[in-house]
Amino acid sequence: MNGIKIRGTGRGVPGKIVTNRDLERIVETSDEWITARTGIKTRHQCAGEETFSAMAAASARGALVEAGISPEEIGACIVATATAETLVPSAACALQRELGLPQDIPCFDLNAACTGFLFALHTMECLLNASPRKFGLVVGAENLSRVVDWTDRGTCILFGDGAGAAVVECQEGWPSICAVLGCCGNDELLHLSGVESGGHSYLAMEGTRVFKFAVEAVPWCVEQVLGKTGRTVEDVDFFVFHQANARIIDLAARKCRIPPEKYYKNIQEYGNTSAASIPLVLSELREQGRVSPGSRVLAVGFGGGLTWGGCLIEFA
Ligand code: COA
């Protein structure tokens, strides 16, 4: 199988910012507790015209511009999300219309919770191998402020809204991203009900158990991807972990002996943006010039489902 590389990244983030101090007025919590336990200081929130669709479109446009690719060249579009504005049409179909993507390509949404962007990258690699077009658009977008229970201090402090996107290219002879993906059906640790399920209407989570799962899953995924690609920590330029909790990221990095200059956190600004968190990091790394053509990034995600995944992706 021919591999994919990232050609361009983009992000769309609403202007409204909710600080920890703002949350102190809503639930019994404190800036000190949230900062110490999670590393989060602020999160962005959709409001007014800054909707899910607007964020997703802004991130996709940014990625197309950075890649220097026109919408007609895109061969498939996947939006990783669990909080799309409408189930039908999918967010990807809405993007097809909004951006003027070709009509003879697959556009669809994919839900693997916080691991969604990595499931989507792997799916895109498979799709582009079977497509005459060589570019794909992968978006991770979430409007989590719409589904959190604003009376539950254990969850509402964690999540934020945002979108990140990548335009990827597939070329003969490029190495596969070697995605390692998995899931284990579990609706106790993290749950968000769907249409007419009669269950919770808000995101419900057993935080401490998810924490324990995550600090095991991230190092395991790193090890699996390194094993599959025959690489070592030294061969990787940057490690990008799902931004759910700064302590999870630091613990996982320490376990894998990853030096601090090789991983990055933006959770302090965005909180946990689920499927958007990895592409938001990628877009900031690119903007800051910390990754450039040839850089090798090992990305790892984990989340509801339960799901987990990792891959090694290069920048074109
Ligand atoms: N402010 C103040 N106190 C809070 C609080 C808040 N926002 N949320 C919970 N607490 C309290 C609890 O009620 C508990 O009080 P008690 O000891 O009197 O019962 C105490 O703080 C400890 O709660 P606990 O849930 O054990 O804390 P924790 O150290 O596990 O931190 C999370 C909670 C949610 C921050 C942490 O478990 C976490 O980040 N988990 C992973 C979540 C995640 O990654 N989810 C997404 C997966 S993609």
Side-chain angles (χ1 to χ4, degrees):
M1 185 157 80
N2 298 313
I4 53 170
K5 295 186 183 186
I6 296 178
R7 269 288 288 252
T9 57
R11 61 182 185 274
V13 179
K16 183 180 170 191
I17 289 171
V18 177
T19 65
N20 291 346
R21 296 270 179 235
D22 294 331
L23 293 176
E24 287 176 359
R25 289 190 279 275
I26 303 174
V27 287
E28 203 182 322
T29 190
S30 65
D31 176 39
E32 293 71 27
W33 192 96
I34 301 172
T35 306
R37 297 292 182 112
T38 72
I40 301 167
K41 296 297 275 184
T42 61
R43 65 289 288 145
H44 294 249
Q45 200 179 91
C46 289
E49 288 180 3
E50 292 190 303
T51 59
F52 176 97
S53 317
M55 292 190 304
S59 69
R61 283 201 180 92
L64 285 164
V65 168
E66 196 179 277
I69 297 301
S70 65
E72 308 87 70
E73 293 176 87
I74 292 294
C77 169
I78 307 176
V79 179
T81 184
T83 53
E85 236 157 58
T86 53
L87 291 179
V88 180
S90 67
C93 285
L95 270 185
Q96 184 280 323
R97 183 176 60 185
E98 175 76 19
L99 302 175
L101 301 177
Q103 291 189 0
D104 59 343
I105 63 167
C107 296
F108 59 95
D109 292 358
L110 179 158
N111 171 11
C114 303
T115 325
F117 188 77
L118 300 184
F119 274 59
L121 276 183
H122 170 72
T123 308
M124 184 58 79
E125 187 170 78
C126 299
L127 286 173
L128 290 181
N129 268 275
S131 165
R133 293 191 176 91
K134 288 301 152 208
F135 299 101
L137 176 60
V138 183
V139 178
E142 301 286 7
N143 186 355
L144 291 157
S145 62
R146 209 164 47 89
V147 297
V148 297
D149 177 353
W150 288 102
T151 66
D152 175 16
R153 67 178 181 173
T155 52
C156 75
I157 56 142
L158 295 172
F159 297 97
D161 299 338
V167 166
V168 299
E169 180 179 358
C170 182
Q171 268 193 29
E172 211 175 314
W174 280 357
S176 163
I177 62 171
C178 286
V180 171
L181 306 172
C183 81
C184 147
N186 177 310
D187 61 1
E188 284 174 17
L189 267 60
L190 231 160
H191 184 102
L192 177 60
S193 67
V195 185
E196 291 179 1
S197 67
H200 303 282
S201 50
Y202 294 115
L203 190 153
M205 184 182 72
E206 290 204 26
T208 309
R209 289 174 68 192
V210 174
F211 192 100
K212 285 184 183 147
F213 154 69
V215 293
E216 295 291 321
V218 177
W220 186 85
C221 287
V222 169
E223 197 182 299
Q224 294 296 309
V225 174
L226 290 177
K228 205 170 166 182
T229 53
R231 302 281 180 188
T232 64
V233 168
E234 288 68 42
D235 296 330
V236 176
D237 296 299
F238 236 94
F239 290 82
V240 174
F241 297 151
H242 169 49
Q243 308 280 306
N245 184 316
R247 288 191 296 143
I248 295 175
I249 299 169
D250 291 333
L251 277 169
R254 203 174 319 143
K255 241 179 170 171
C256 301
R257 299 179 195 280
I258 298 165
E261 65 277 11
K262 274 201 181 184
Y263 71 96
Y264 182 81
K265 286 178 283 188
N266 61 12
I267 185 165
Q268 61 282 0
E269 176 180 348
Y270 299 109
N272 180 346
T273 57
S274 193
S277 96
I278 289 174
L280 279 173
V281 172
L282 293 174
S283 133
E284 291 195 346
L285 288 176
R286 180 82 169 210
E287 191 176 76
Q288 294 170 16
R290 296 171 81 173
V291 293
S292 47
S295 295
R296 228 180 258 135
V297 170
L298 197 158
V300 171
F302 61 88
L306 299 169
T307 55
W308 56 87
C311 71
L312 186 67
I313 187 153
E314 277 183 34
F315 278 77

